[in-house]
Amino acid sequence: MTRHQRRQHAATAGAIALAAAAIALAWHGLYGEAVLAGVVVLSLTDAALRAHREHQRELAEFDWARQRGLAMDPPPLKPCCWIGSSSRGRAHNPRCTRPRYEDGTVDEFLAEREGRG
Ligand SMILES: [Zn+2]
């Protein structure tokens, strides 16, 4: 179980418990409190969904790194990395999955790899 899955399960459990509490509050006529609990349920649901997406991304990055380790040439993930998507391709983090030679020409990439650049 990854840290993302733990966070997802905790948020899901909290959302379910709070949804039950919101229903009970509404049943007893405490509508203001029920609405407030409903807002928190939506927030916890969003957190659970975000944790699920982060878990799926971590699995995809792990599989991509495994394929690279086996000398395969996997295509880059979409988005290539979280910095690349938020900077619109201007910056990338060290764990980026795009090919390194996309920054320059293939000759520059090969020169850098061979220590000429
Ligand atoms: Zn990137």
Side-chain angles (χ1 to χ4, degrees):
M1 180 178 288
T2 65
R3 60 193 162 108
H4 301 300
Q5 282 181 308
R6 279 193 294 275
R7 213 174 67 218
Q8 176 190 356
H9 293 165
T12 301
I16 290 170
L18 211 53
I23 291 170
L25 287 169
W27 183 267
H28 292 290
L30 300 169
Y31 299 114
E33 291 82 357
V35 168
L36 183 64
V39 170
V40 176
V41 166
L42 291 177
S43 176
L44 286 172
T45 302
D46 179 57
L49 291 172
R50 189 173 309 144
H52 177 71
R53 283 193 302 269
E54 289 169 358
H55 174 69
Q56 293 299 319
R57 173 66 188 204
E58 193 169 272
L59 290 180
E61 286 181 359
F62 178 79
D63 191 49
W64 185 87
R66 184 187 58 79
Q67 289 181 19
R68 291 267 315 215
L70 293 173
M72 298 167 71
D73 191 21
L77 299 178
K78 292 182 181 175
C80 60
C81 61
W82 65 272
I83 294 176
S85 63
S86 59
S87 72
R88 297 183 183 169
R90 292 189 182 128
H92 298 271
N93 71 359
R95 290 175 49 189
C96 181
T97 59
R98 75 190 161 92
R100 296 288 185 241
Y101 56 80
E102 283 186 1
D103 284 340
T105 65
V106 174
D107 290 335
E108 288 171 350
F109 172 71
L110 292 174
E112 182 181 315
R113 277 191 69 176
E114 294 171 6
R116 292 183 283 147

